[in-house]
Amino acid sequence: MKAIIFDMDGVIVDSEPLHFELERSLLEELGGKITKEEHKSFVGTTDYHMWSTFKEKFNLKPSVEEMIEMKKERFIENIYRIELVENFQEFMLTLYNEGYPMALASSNNKKAVNAIIKKFDLDRYMELFISGEEVSKGKPDPEIFLTVAEKMKIEPTACLVIEDAYNGVRAAKAAGMKCIGFQNKNSGNQDLSKADLVVENYNKLDIDILRKLFN
């Protein structure tokens, strides 16, 4: 194990309930409506994929880019409501003090990623941040994780990903990486069965448990 890569929403910050609320509200304003179960299927995918799907399904008037921008602005306005996932900070500090390089690879847009980095001082501890806008294919495609490995100059097989979404776990495994599925109840009932290990809280993890995944 030479690097740890974190997804952001639902893994570092408990932001999925806010995303659900803002997206459903905006969609209904624009004339569309989806069930909670339908909505959860988009967890871990890019804004572009989700709003493109909504535009086509409901024949929405604004462009995909305009809808993404509307949601982006509302998310930034409400960022004060977001907190770190329980015990994440202690876990991150343990990895940092052990000297493991860490990165963030989020399907969210760059503006939202930057706002979270700033709010929680993540750039003090993590070396690299990649958003969904910096890759051409979103999760479950492995591009975002392979991009991180390439930029960090670390073999994909030496990377560990922590993900809370079905699409994210699929992307990590497709990249040839070890993956811990983080079962966050706020991310919906995500199928994380393809992960190498599934936990519900960071207090269930320590360095020895992580290292054993690579033995």
Side-chain angles (χ1 to χ4, degrees), residues 23-34 50-68 70:
E23 286 159 4
R24 287 164 71 83
S25 168
L26 177 56
L27 180 60
E28 287 178 20
E29 281 175 35
L30 297 171
K33 192 164 186 173
I34 53 168
M50 183 179 70
W51 289 105
S52 298
T53 306
F54 292 162
K55 182 172 175 62
E56 189 175 339
K57 183 173 182 177
F58 300 109
N59 195 25
L60 305 178
K61 284 184 180 175
S63 68
V64 173
E65 290 76 13
E66 285 170 335
M67 292 187 285
I68 290 172
M70 288 180 209

Side-chain angles (χ1 to χ4, degrees), residues 144-197:
I144 194 166
F145 293 130
L146 293 173
T147 300
V148 171
E150 186 182 345
K151 286 182 179 290
M152 295 181 89
K153 297 182 169 55
I154 294 173
E155 282 295 316
T157 51
C159 295
L160 170 67
V161 173
I162 302 183
E163 264 285 356
D164 69 318
Y166 170 68
N167 289 310
V169 171
R170 285 172 66 204
K173 297 310 294 178
M177 299 179 178
K178 296 292 183 185
C179 182
I180 290 177
F182 189 80
Q183 196 89 63
N184 188 329
K185 64 183 186 299
N186 290 328
S187 301
N189 187 23
Q190 298 287 318
D191 177 6
L192 307 178
S193 58
K194 285 186 167 34
D196 298 282
L197 174 69

Side-chain angles (χ1 to χ4, degrees), residues 52-202:
S52 298
T53 306
F54 292 162
K55 182 172 175 62
E56 189 175 339
K57 183 173 182 177
F58 300 109
N59 195 25
L60 305 178
K61 284 184 180 175
S63 68
V64 173
E65 290 76 13
E66 285 170 335
M67 292 187 285
I68 290 172
E69 199 55 40
M70 288 180 209
K71 158 68 198 311
K72 198 184 289 187
E73 286 173 10
R74 294 180 189 198
F75 183 77
I76 301 300
E77 285 166 9
N78 284 275
I79 212 159
Y80 68 92
R81 296 165 57 189
I82 292 174
E83 298 297 336
L84 289 172
V85 166
E86 185 182 15
N87 295 318
F88 165 75
Q89 187 146 14
E90 295 83 348
F91 179 68
M92 176 182 68
L93 287 172
T94 300
L95 294 173
Y96 180 76
N97 291 330
E98 287 281 337
Y100 282 103
M102 290 178 280
L104 180 154
S106 172
S107 294
N108 211 325
N109 61 77
K110 193 168 183 62
K111 194 171 183 180
V113 169
N114 287 342
I116 293 294
I117 293 167
K118 185 177 179 183
K119 179 173 181 178
F120 297 108
D121 288 330
L122 296 178
D123 52 353
R124 287 179 58 191
Y125 307 103
M126 296 191 179
E127 295 187 7
L128 183 66
F129 303 90
I130 302 278
S131 74
E133 292 176 349
E134 293 163 82
V135 290
S136 57
K137 295 174 186 168
K139 302 170 189 175
D141 190 276
E143 183 186 359
I144 194 166
F145 293 130
L146 293 173
T147 300
V148 171
E150 186 182 345
K151 286 182 179 290
M152 295 181 89
K153 297 182 169 55
I154 294 173
E155 282 295 316
T157 51
C159 295
L160 170 67
V161 173
I162 302 183
E163 264 285 356
D164 69 318
Y166 170 68
N167 289 310
V169 171
R170 285 172 66 204
K173 297 310 294 178
M177 299 179 178
K178 296 292 183 185
C179 182
I180 290 177
F182 189 80
Q183 196 89 63
N184 188 329
K185 64 183 186 299
N186 290 328
S187 301
N189 187 23
Q190 298 287 318
D191 177 6
L192 307 178
S193 58
K194 285 186 167 34
D196 298 282
L197 174 69
V198 178
V199 297
E200 294 178 356
N201 195 300
Y202 284 107

